[in-house]
C-alpha cells in the first residue's frame, strides 16, 4: 500500500501543515501524519520511519520550524525521497528553518519547498507517487488544466486588451 508520510516537529506546526493534508485529501491520496521531533524525540522519529517504510511509505514530508533538523534527520534514516517544509516559528520568520532544511550535505538530499509551502509539499509528493500511478497522474494533469482555466476566467473579469 503506497502512501505519503507526513511528520511534524510539533503540534504548533499543524495549523500550516493542514493545507498539505487538505491537498492530499482532495486527491484521495493515502497518508499518515504524526508528530515526532528530531530533537525532542529522536528515537521515536527513527523508529517511525523504519515502520512506515515497511508499511509502504513511498515519500516523506517533514515540516519543522526554527533549527529545523527534522527533514535532514528523516533523510538520514531513509533512501526514499524526503520533502522538507521550513516553517516560521521564531523571530527569524522561517529563514532559520529554510537554511536548516535546505543546506544538506552532498548525497543526503532534502527537496525543500518554500517557507510554509505546505500545499506544494503535497503536490510534489503526489508527483512522485504518480510516477507509478496512472490514475493520480491523470488527476494531476486535470488539476493543471483547471488551474490554467481559472487564470483565464479571473482575467476575463477585469481584462482590457487593446
Ligand atoms: C520546531 O520548533 C517545531 O517544528 C516547531 O516549528 C518549533 C516550535 O515548537 P514548539 O515549541 O511550538 O513545540 O522543532
Amino acid at each position: 500500500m503506497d502512501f505519503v508520510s507526513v511528520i511534524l516537529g510539533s503540534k504548533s506546526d499543524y495549523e500550516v501543515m493542514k493545507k498539505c493534508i487538505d491537498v492530499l485529501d482532495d486527491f484521495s491520496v493515502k497518508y499518515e501524519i504524526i508528530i515526532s521531533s528530531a530533537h525532542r524525540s529522536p528515537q521515536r522519529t527513527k523508529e517511525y520511519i523504519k515502520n512506515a517504510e515497511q508499511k509502504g511509505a513511498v515519500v516523506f514530508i517533514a515540516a519543522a520550524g526554527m533549527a529545523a533538523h527534522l527533514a535532514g534527520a528523516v533523510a538520514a534514516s531513509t533512501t526514499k525521497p524526503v520533502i522538507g517544509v521550513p516553517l516560521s516559528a521564531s523571530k527569524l520568520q522561517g529563514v532559520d528553518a529554510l537554511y536548516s532544511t535546505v543546506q544538506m550535505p552532498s548525497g543526503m538530499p532534502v527537496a525543500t519547498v518554500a517557507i510554509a509551502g505546505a500545499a506544494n509539499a503535497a503536490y510534489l509528493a503526489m508527483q512522485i507517487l504518480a510516477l507509478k500511478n496512472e490514475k493520480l497522474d491523470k488527476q494531476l494533469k486535470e488539476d493543471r488544466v483547471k488551474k490554467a482555466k481559472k487564470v483565464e476566467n479571473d482575467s476575463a473579469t477585469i481584462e482590457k486588451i487593446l
Side-chain angles (χ1 to χ4, degrees), residues 8-13 37 39-40 63-66 87 89:
L8 313 184
S10 166
K11 193 170 180 194
S12 61
D13 300 327
S37 165
H39 304 124
R40 292 168 175 157
M66 301 177 78
L87 298 174

Side-chain angles (χ1 to χ4, degrees), residues 7 37-39 45-46 49 60-64 67-80 82-86 97-105 107-112:
I7 310 174
S37 165
H39 304 124
T45 304
K46 213 171 167 177
I49 293 160
F60 289 88
I61 295 174
H69 296 123
L70 183 59
V74 175
S77 295
T78 183
T79 51
K80 299 278 188 285
V82 178
I83 299 167
V85 188
L98 173 64
Y99 286 171
S100 304
T101 304
V102 79
Q103 292 287 20
M104 287 296 290
M108 308 296 296
V110 166
T112 306

Side-chain angles (χ1 to χ4, degrees), residues 111-146:
T112 306
V113 295
I115 295 168
N120 264 359
Y123 276 102
L124 184 53
M126 293 193 298
Q127 288 177 209
I128 292 167
L129 281 182
L131 292 170
K132 287 191 176 169
N133 181 332
E134 275 179 32
K135 189 176 160 230
L136 183 57
D137 189 50
K138 190 165 168 270
Q139 279 177 271
L140 288 166
K141 287 185 166 82
E142 285 166 2
D143 183 66
R144 290 286 176 98
V145 172
K146 239 190 271 173

